[in-house]
Each structure stands twice: as structure tokens, then as C-alpha cells.
Amino acid sequence: MIIGADWAVTAALDEPRRRWAVRVVDGMIDDSGPVTELRARYPDDEFCDGSGCVLLPGFVNAHVHLYGVLAHGVPAPAVPVADFWGFLDDYWWPLVENALDHEMVAAAAAWVTADLAAGGTTSFFDILEAPNAVPGALFAQREAVAGSGLRGVLSFEATERMGEANGQAGLDENVSFIEDCRARAASEGAGRDGRVSGAMCIHTTFTCSEPFIRRAFDAAADLDVFCHAHVNEGVHEGRWCEEHHGMRTLEFYDRIGVASPRFQASQCVQLSPDEIDIIADSGIRVSHMPLSNCEVGGGIAPVLELLERGITVGLGSDGYLNDMFAVMRGAFLLHRAATLDPGAISAATVLQMATEGSARTLGLERVGRLEPGWHADLQLVDLEGPRGLPTPVEAHNLLDQLVLWRSASHVRNVMVGGDWIVEGGEVIGTDIEELRAHTLEQAARLWS
């Protein structure tokens, strides 16, 4: 198949190309070039006409909590939350995470993955936090995720906050899931992991002991996967580590020998200069959630400094707003405001974080570009339609226009690995209203 459009962004940091097309063969980009030339070169190929659209790599959401949609309507606590610890201990843990079961998890996963697909996301990394739902929580979630056609990396956030046995059960959940995904992929001839795979995951230093953290990273090394942890989402964890370990969070991780490219650290909002040095020197990969950091009052992550140091940074929604256009817009505006510099960060940079940057944080190979030899994970975004862009599109302003003026509602078609999963703005083979109704039922169970 040849897919052509008025414009194409083959890689976020490269110049957009006018009237460009890609050729897809066996799920991969086989060739690319001007639409007329590619059609002449392969006259028997099926042609997808993306006139009025821009062709983009699919978004990679580097950090999402699929279950989070269930909590969008949880009643506010009777006593206002005073700080981040109070939010976790008095509200989020008892009212949300501890109450989740398999049916809730599966319903949320089915709904949110359909929503992600409709908005142009083709890959994601999920962190499931449900200590009373093990064992089997990731397996229940996988069945829902697999139906979406997305590339999903699933993990269970293991923590000792409910005791050592529960913490070990969380680690075991990740190990058994990773191994089972690989066995499935091998039996289906889908490579090592297939579209749905697993990773290791822990919570934080203040809910996980040093031996526990070491076991998690050792297991990740044995399985050759990354290990994720939330890091310094606000001021709390850094202060806690200084009080209990005599050093800050990433200094502690470095001391115990787990700071390495295998470490995927999310949030990283409140960082000291020494912690930034550790991230840069050790090769830790970072995922940035600009909107949720604002929502919880965590602060503004030093993303510009991380990028300047050559650190791999991806972009995620944190399950707050899963429209990656909104997430990109948040990063684009937030860091300009924080630095009082309208040129502090470009639209190309935030698009790079939302595509290839995020793919790199997750270890996804050949994902995030539309070039020969890369996976055919792509989207067509409407530039015209009933509410077209406000000014004429040119190469110099296309990305700014996309980031500032487009949203998930403008995504027309989405492909993952050569398979269309969204056409004409509709998720193929999915009854959105049925998924929504089931999710509402499960949310009501959670609230009660």
C-alpha cells in the first residue's frame, strides 16, 4: 500500500515534506518519496489518499495509567488534601488503587486504548497500581489491550507499602507476564515480544526497601527489560531520601548500583544539579508528564536542561489527559512560560519527544519515524476539514500549527504495523459506546 498526503513529517526534527508518500509492505515502511513518483514506481499498489492531511509517525505515550480513567469522578475527600503525601496516603491509595479488581482494570484498559488509538497513539507504556488485584491483574489487562491493535508495554507497579509479601507478589506478576508474553509471541512467530509485552516496575524509594529495589533491577537484567520507577514527582521523595538515606533520590539509586540505561525514570520534576549529572552520566531514560505535574502541583521538570545534556526524554500523559496533542501543547507552552523565553522549546522538539524520544525511553526499536526499515506506525491528521488551520500551511509553520491548533479529534486514520486500526476517525471493530458504558459501570463500583 502507498499512503500519500499533502504533507509528511517523516522524522520530527527533519524538514516537513510536501506531497509525500510512504510505501508499506509486511508492516514496515518499504520506500518513500513524492506521491507521484512513488505511485509511478509501484503502479499496482493500493493507494490511500490523504489529501488535506499531514502524515505523521504515530504517537508513543511513554507513561500512562489506563486504570486512571476510573478515578476521574471519584468524590473529593471530606478534608482537603494538604500535600503530595496526603494525596497518596489519605486519598489515592485507599480510594482508588486498593479498590481495583480485574474487571475494573480490564474495562478501563479496553476503553482507554480505544481512546488512545483514536487520538493517533500507536504505542504506550502502562503502569498498573492495584495491590489487591494480584495475581493475574496484568493478564486480565492484556486481553483488553490486545483487542486495540496497539503496541503496549504493560507493567505492574510493585511496592512494599502493603507488606513484603504483597511487594514480592508484584514483582512475580511482572516476571510471569513478561515470560508469558514472550512465549505467546514465539508461538505466533511475532519476534521476541509481539505487540503486547512487559517490563519491570517499582513505585518509589519511600515505599520500596533497598533489597526490594535490587531484586527488581536484577530481575529486569535477567529478563533483559527496563525497570521503571516514579522519581521525585514533587518535593516529597527527595526530602524523604535525605532524611532516611542521607542523600537525594537519584544519589541513592546510584549508590546501590541501579542507575543505568536499564532505568526508566518518570516525572523527574524536582532534581538537584547532582541528580541531573547522575541521569546524564548513567544513561537513565526519562519520561516527562507536563500536564499531570501541574495538576498535582509537583512543579516543572527541568526538561530543557535534560535535553541539552543529551538525555533521552519521552512524553507521557500519566493517564490525566490522554490526547497527545494536548500533552505536546502543554510542554510547548509550559517550558516557554517557565523560562520567560518564547523560543525555549520548539514544536519539533515536543513532537520528537512524543514519537521517537518516547520510543527510545521504552526500548522500542525502529518506532517513531516514517523511513524505510521502520515500523509502519502512522497517522493521518486532518489539516482542513470543517475547522481547518487558521493560516496557510508551509514547511516553516506546519509543526507549530499542529501543536497549537490540532487535537485528537482531527486524527483521521491510524495504522500500527501495517494494520489500519482507525479509519475516518472511527476505531475499527470497536463499539465505543459499549466500552464507555462498561467503564462507567466499573467506575460506579469503584466509587461505591
Side-chain angles (χ1 to χ4, degrees):
M1 174 181 288
I2 294 171
I3 304 166
D6 287 358
W7 291 93
V9 179
T10 54
L13 300 181
D14 291 348
E15 185 83 359
R17 302 173 187 268
R18 193 178 186 93
R19 292 301 299 162
W20 200 258
V22 297
R23 184 180 192 235
V24 177
V25 178
D26 294 331
M28 308 294 287
I29 304 295
D30 174 74
D31 199 356
S32 65
V35 174
T36 52
E37 291 183 14
L38 218 58
R39 295 194 72 182
R41 198 177 305 158
Y42 307 102
D44 297 329
D45 282 10
E46 182 182 353
F47 179 63
C48 173
D49 186 1
S51 295
C53 292
V54 58
L55 177 63
L56 294 170
F59 295 129
V60 180
N61 191 329
H63 185 103
V64 67
H65 299 281
L66 298 177
Y67 75 89
V69 69
L70 298 169
H72 288 181
V74 171
V79 178
V81 173
D83 54 26
F84 184 67
W85 179 256
F87 169 77
L88 289 177
D89 201 37
D90 299 330
Y91 183 65
W92 192 256
W93 286 340
L95 295 183
V96 181
E97 291 182 17
N98 295 358
L100 294 171
D101 61 24
H102 290 186
E103 190 174 4
M104 294 176 189
V105 165
W111 161 256
V112 178
T113 51
D115 189 46
L116 288 170
T121 293
T122 52
S123 302
F124 68 92
F125 171 51
D126 181 66
I127 301 95
L128 175 58
E129 301 162 332
N132 289 319
V134 288
L138 288 180
F139 295 84
Q141 191 180 49
R142 178 176 62 186
E143 300 312 309
V145 169
S148 70
L150 298 179
R151 297 187 196 279
V153 182
L154 308 184
S155 71
F156 187 88
E157 187 178 83
T159 169
E160 292 181 297
R161 69 175 176 83
M162 294 181 65
E164 292 181 13
N166 186 263
Q168 187 60 49
L171 296 181
D172 293 343
E173 179 82 1
N174 283 317
V175 170
S176 61
F177 183 74
I178 293 164
E179 292 175 339
D180 191 75
C181 285
R182 288 181 178 168
R184 275 195 173 195
S187 68
E188 296 169 359
R192 191 182 81 157
D193 295 308
R195 284 201 191 171
V196 180
S197 59
M200 186 56 65
C201 182
I202 60 171
H203 183 229
T204 61
T205 54
F206 58 86
T207 59
C208 299
S209 65
E210 179 178 335
F212 184 81
I213 294 170
R214 289 179 183 274
R215 289 203 303 276
F217 276 87
D218 286 346
D222 290 342
L223 292 163
D224 191 23
V225 296
F226 66 84
C227 186
H228 165 269
H230 289 86
V231 174
N232 292 2
E233 188 168 357
V235 299
H236 173 78
E237 187 174 16
R239 292 174 179 173
W240 188 93
C241 275
E242 288 177 329
E243 179 181 345
H244 291 81
H245 297 301
M247 62 191 73
R248 287 186 60 80
T249 310
L250 285 158
E251 293 171 334
F252 172 73
Y253 280 128
D254 191 40
R255 181 183 69 76
I256 67 174
V258 301
S260 73
R262 194 174 300 284
F263 194 166
Q264 208 257 35
S266 65
Q267 313 293 350
C268 295
V269 179
Q270 301 292 340
L271 297 176
S272 70
D274 287 344
E275 288 180 298
I276 293 175
D277 287 342
I278 289 169
I279 294 173
D281 294 343
S282 66
I284 291 173
R285 296 170 278 175
V286 174
S287 53
H288 172 43
M289 277 64 70
L291 297 183
S292 67
N293 293 161
C294 291
E295 194 266 341
V296 301
I300 300 173
V303 165
L304 301 181
E305 188 171 351
L306 299 180
L307 292 171
E308 288 171 2
R309 297 289 298 274
I311 294 164
T312 298
V313 181
L315 206 58
S317 67
D318 210 9
Y320 175 56
L321 290 177
N322 292 322
D323 181 343
M324 289 297 287
F325 287 94
V327 176
M328 289 195 299
R329 189 153 48 246
F332 183 75
L333 299 175
L334 185 67
H335 295 293
R336 290 179 171 213
T339 58
L340 307 181
D341 180 1
I345 191 168
S346 68
T349 297
V350 297
L351 179 61
Q352 196 276 340
M353 287 194 290
T355 52
E356 191 177 356
S358 288
R360 288 178 178 175
T361 70
L362 305 181
L364 297 176
E365 298 181 354
R366 296 177 296 166
V367 170
R369 291 180 178 230
L370 301 182
E371 295 180 351
W374 289 60
H375 289 285
D377 295 3
L378 54 85
Q379 56 179 314
L380 286 167
V381 180
D382 200 340
L383 297 176
E384 299 177 354
R387 298 186 66 183
L389 290 168
T391 58
V393 174
E394 299 294 343
H396 72 275
N397 68 17
L398 172 62
L399 298 187
D400 281 47
Q401 300 248 39
L402 282 172
V403 169
L404 288 172
W405 296 100
R406 297 294 89 176
S407 70
S409 65
H410 295 102
V411 174
R412 185 187 294 179
N413 287 18
V414 180
M415 173 180 282
V416 180
D419 299 324
W420 290 117
I421 62 171
V422 176
E423 287 188 320
E426 301 294 328
V427 182
I428 297 172
T430 299
D431 187 334
I432 292 291
E433 287 307 311
E434 181 179 336
L435 293 181
R436 178 176 178 273
H438 187 42
T439 304
L440 283 171
E441 289 175 4
Q442 298 309 307
R445 286 183 59 228
L446 177 68
W447 303 346
S448 66

